[in-house]
Amino acid sequence: MTNALEIEDLVMHFGPVRAVDAVSLTIPRGGVTALVGESGSGKSTVGRCVVRLLKPTSGSVRIGGVDVTHLTRRQLRPHRSTVSIVFQDPAGSLDPRMLVGDVVAEPLRLSSARMSRAERQKRVAESLGQVGLRAEVARRYPHELSGGQRQRVSIARALISKPSLLIADEPISALDVSVQASVLNLLADLQRDIGFACLFITHNLSAVEYLADEIAVMYLGQLMEKGTRSQIFSSPAHPYTQALLAAAPVADPVRQRARTPVLLGDDLPSALDPPSGCRFRTRCPLAFDKCATDVPPHVKIGNGEAACHLVQADGTRPDVRAGVPE
Amino acid sequence: MTAGARILEVADLSVSFVTESGNVSAVDHVSLDLAPGEIVGVVGESGCGKSVTAMSLAGLLPRSARVTGSVRLRGTELIGAPETSLRRVRGKEIAYIFQEPMTSLNPVLTVGRQIGEVLQVHERISRKQARARAIELLSLVGIPSAATRVDNYPHQLSGGMRQRVMIAMAVACNPTVLVADEPTTALDVTVQAGILEVLRDLRDRLGTSILIITHDLGVIADIADRVVVMYAGRVVERAPVTELFAHPHHRYTNGLLNASPTPGRHAGTDRLQEIPGLVPVLTTQPDACTFADRCPAADDTCRGSAPPLAALGVADHLVACWHPVEAT
Ligand SMILES: Nc1ncnc2c1ncn2[C@@H]1O[C@H](COP(=O)(O)OP(=O)(O)OP(=O)(O)O)[C@@H](O)[C@H]1O
Ligand SMILES: Nc1ncnc2c1ncn2[C@@H]1O[C@H](COP(=O)(O)OP(=O)(O)OP(=O)(O)O)[C@@H](O)[C@H]1O
Ligand code: SF4
Ligand SMILES: [Mg+2]
Ligand SMILES: [Mg+2]
């Protein structure tokens, strides 16, 4: 069976900015893969290359087995409906002058298939219903809705073309905890019922643990580690993954205070001039000479892979807390 | 914790705004306090009045704000105090750090000059002394090679380092109270952890009392000694941090705790609890529980009169609810 998404050696440079450098990633049909990493690590850029809002500098993107990397706007049209994107900022990504119904119907108008007005309205109502909004909402303007409702509208718009792949770029980070919960529940339900594959971009690790099957960790344009949810959360191999997990506070004072803090410096390197060798080395407590000279290869470990000189195929992994390899 | 020495006591603080589209009631009879060296966290949904409460402490609200009630700093009333004495309080007694360090820093001055200027407003010291103090402060907040960084402009620093500079400016005059309004919201978790460590360290070393505002329960769990939960302009619950997480008495607090996807939860086996409904936007404060519309336990009493903030179980655990979730 073909995969929903296959990204191979994806490179996206903006002039001198090396936003994404050689990222490879596969999402099986119906699977949810989370892309995590700090601000500026290139997560959104990967998402935008997949929906071809950006044309990759090099590498390839295959959606449902079809290579879309070099397709022109026109050639892309028939594939437009197979992949959709939900953006981070629900307020900013909805045109304030358009009625919600028109916002949601927009992908249908842009697609090649012809459709009657009545048919379109039916699809809008259906799509709004899927995200738990009443059909009347179609006659309102985005600003008349709450943040959570607006985010539901953007999900409805993304789903109306019945995509087989949904790119969800920080769909919850602008929302309050309780609204976040409803959007996460909704994504989980829809994903289970409709069965689309999802690239879930976020920096919220607890949301990732809740929703994702597989996790890919980015740092400064490159993948540091990939693995299944249970592997990443129970035995992360890469020092950066370990540091990320250790730094995300848990909402339980007893557990949180019993944890050993792992503090990295916050002198973040820039994508304009990424460090030689391992890109994480300027903040890595375990870095040694080789890290500055050699780019660490991606080593298979368990059900995933990690790019660190201290990770070995026999399962040896470093422990960032100890400050020395095990 | 004894009710004895309180550095800051806020009682019945109410704030409303006169706007073109009418009155907005932002804060309603809020009471909270801070002991020396204590870290109090304020949580609540967007728009519930956290920032307005914080800004009113040192009189930072715009003219359109109507403020009533009492804010006492070491026993001295600040509400209605003349601007000249408020100016002395600001920075020297109550200092602030906000979410977006870039907008609060001057892009054309080095960080050393900016810290120096803060010092020179309140203290009579030379440029040279100010620079030396700035270097000290930068290393206090954990900036490596402070002696070099002091000559950097804000754009030469990462977001996390800019926030550290903001903290250095805020604590330059050794304030009694530091108000941190979402200090880490714009930062990554690895950077956030460092900033929280700096705040904790300041409290330990200088005895600064800290009021930290956030909507991240993880941050609260990490750093706060006590927690104030706000909903639609009111304090609905107040308790020591472990007590609050272990025995939430208000259903809104309960809802917030259950809505967070905590470790080990997965969509395949577990559903996150939503709080149905929306936060009301209030023009006046009704004589009712403002959470009643969304509360599974609401009855006519709740819709007919506002519940007072009262102790339940332990003395320093206060809840404003007619039918609180009992301590188990
Ligand atoms: N159109 C562009 N032109 C130039 N640089 C860009 C452009 N888009 C992104 N970048 C740069 O590419 C890098 C990666 O950005 P990207 O938005 O993909 O990061 P991200 O991981 O999504 O971050 P965040 O968590 O903040 O959303 C950053 O250094 C960013 O400044
Ligand atoms: N200058 C103002 N004029 C009118 N209304 C205001 C003003 N400042 C704040 N408000 C209103 O007061 C209420 C409380 O706002 P506040 O900024 O304190 O919320 P908050 O709890 O800090 O929210 P957030 O988490 O989004 O920062 C909101 O309804 C807000 O719209
Ligand atoms: S040990 Fe070296 S290779 Fe591994 S993460 Fe640290 S710096 Fe990179
Ligand atoms: Mg992004
Ligand atoms: Mg605020």
Side-chain angles (χ1 to χ4, degrees), chain B residues 42-304:
Chain B
V42 182
V43 277
E45 265 166 87
S46 183
C48 70
K50 304 182 295 292
S51 297
V52 169
T53 300
M55 307 269 268
S56 59
L57 300 181
L60 293 182
L61 290 173
R63 275 173 201 282
S64 61
R66 300 257 164 78
V67 186
T68 61
S70 160
V71 172
R72 286 169 173 270
L73 182 71
R74 286 209 200 82
T76 307
E77 181 61 54
L78 300 182
I79 300 292
E83 186 55 29
T84 47
S85 45
L86 282 179
R87 213 171 297 143
R88 218 160 342 127
V89 166
R90 272 176 226 141
K92 185 122 185 74
E93 297 271 15
I94 303 181
Y96 287 83
I97 49 175
F98 296 103
Q99 177 174 339
E100 266 307 323
M102 202 55 195
T103 52
S104 325
L105 288 170
N106 185 338
V108 299
L109 285 184
T110 65
V111 297
R113 280 287 298 282
Q114 296 188 56
I115 297 172
E117 282 185 358
V118 175
L119 287 165
Q120 285 172 314
V121 169
H122 294 287
E123 289 169 40
R124 286 244 288 279
I125 53 171
S126 69
R127 279 266 289 264
K128 208 169 148 205
Q129 286 169 312
R131 186 185 149 86
R133 281 275 289 136
I135 296 174
E136 252 173 63
L137 284 161
L138 289 176
S139 38
L140 177 75
V141 296
I143 292 186
S145 17
T148 326
R149 289 299 191 184
V150 73
D151 296 320
N152 277 176
Y153 290 89
H155 71 89
Q156 293 172 298
L157 304 174
S158 69
M161 285 209 267
R162 287 198 286 261
Q163 193 57 289
R164 285 175 195 254
V165 170
M166 288 304 300
I167 299 175
M169 283 168 70
V171 301
C173 299
N174 199 0
T176 322
V177 175
L178 179 63
V179 180
D181 192 349
E182 313 252 14
T184 60
T185 305
L187 305 173
D188 297 303
V189 282
T190 57
V191 178
Q192 165 173 286
I195 298 291
L196 294 179
E197 199 49 45
V198 169
L199 292 179
R200 228 187 320 262
D201 187 57
L202 285 175
R203 184 269 296 275
D204 295 345
R205 283 208 258 171
L206 310 177
T208 317
S209 304
I210 301 176
L211 190 70
I212 181 168
I213 296 173
T214 176
H215 50 244
D216 186 335
L217 292 166
V219 169
I220 293 289
D222 186 54
I223 199 173
D225 300 315
R226 280 193 302 146
V227 190
V228 174
V229 182
M230 288 185 69
Y231 182 78
R234 294 179 185 167
V235 172
V236 294
E237 189 158 11
R238 238 172 74 181
V241 68
T242 40
E243 165 71 15
L244 185 96
F245 279 78
H247 308 293
H249 288 335
H250 200 286
R251 283 178 182 75
Y252 175 65
T253 312
N254 216 0
L256 275 186
L257 295 177
N258 287 325
S260 313
T262 40
R265 298 179 76 173
H266 181 66
T269 51
D270 194 356
R271 229 182 131 69
L272 301 173
Q273 185 181 312
E274 301 168 25
I275 309 174
L278 296 177
V279 189
V281 178
L282 301 170
T283 50
T284 55
Q285 285 289 343
D287 193 10
C289 172
T290 46
F291 189 59
D293 281 352
R294 307 174 72 185
C295 182
D299 63 8
D300 290 346
T301 314
C302 311
R303 290 180 205 103

Side-chain angles (χ1 to χ4, degrees), chain A residues 21-236:
Chain A
D21 254 338
V23 164
S24 299
L25 192 69
T26 300
I27 307 183
R29 282 184 190 276
V32 180
T33 295
L35 193 55
V36 302
E38 5 216 313
S39 181
S41 57
K43 306 181 297 294
S44 296
T45 303
V46 169
R48 293 162 73 88
C49 286
V50 172
V51 294
R52 281 292 319 275
L53 284 169
L54 289 171
K55 182 159 173 27
T57 309
S58 67
S60 71
V61 174
R62 274 190 301 277
I63 293 171
V66 179
D67 191 332
V68 298
T69 330
H70 304 288
L71 299 187
T72 60
R73 262 182 109 82
R74 233 179 118 103
Q75 293 169 316
L76 270 173
R77 269 207 154 195
H79 302 285
R80 276 261 178 259
S81 61
T82 55
V83 45
S84 300
I85 185 163
V86 175
F87 293 101
Q88 165 168 3
D89 174 13
S93 65
L94 302 178
D95 187 335
R97 293 155 308 181
M98 276 169 81
L99 288 170
V100 166
D102 296 333
V103 168
V104 174
E106 209 180 6
L108 295 180
R109 243 199 317 273
L110 296 180
S111 91
S112 46
R114 292 194 166 273
M115 199 178 276
S116 73
R117 211 181 124 88
E119 171 74 355
R120 212 157 52 210
Q121 276 175 350
K122 199 175 130 252
R123 288 279 291 275
V124 168
E126 194 180 285
S127 196
L128 288 173
Q130 275 178 335
V131 300
L133 291 173
R134 282 191 295 268
E136 295 95 270
V137 171
R139 288 192 300 273
R140 296 218 236 152
Y141 286 97
H143 69 87
E144 297 170 323
L145 305 177
S146 74
Q149 288 172 323
R150 277 197 292 264
Q151 194 57 291
R152 281 167 190 263
V153 168
S154 50
I155 296 172
R157 173 177 62 182
L159 293 180
I160 198 165
S161 55
K162 303 196 185 345
S164 54
L165 174 66
L166 181 73
I167 312 293
D169 191 359
E170 308 266 11
I172 58 163
S173 58
L175 307 173
D176 273 315
V177 212
S178 67
V179 186
Q180 281 189 6
S182 76
V183 173
L184 282 177
N185 280 336
L186 174 71
L187 283 173
D189 292 347
L190 289 171
Q191 202 272 329
R192 191 170 42 234
D193 298 346
I194 306 178
F196 52 82
C198 180
L199 180 66
F200 179 42
I201 301 175
T202 183
H203 51 246
N204 183 333
L205 289 162
S206 31
V208 164
E209 186 174 10
Y210 185 71
L211 207 60
D213 307 319
E214 310 230 359
I215 293 148
V217 183
M218 279 187 87
Y219 185 83
L220 212 64
Q222 295 185 330
L223 281 186
M224 297 290 115
E225 183 165 8
K226 284 192 283 210
T228 58
R229 176 181 69 250
S230 63
Q231 177 168 336
I232 295 286
F233 280 91
S234 61
S235 48

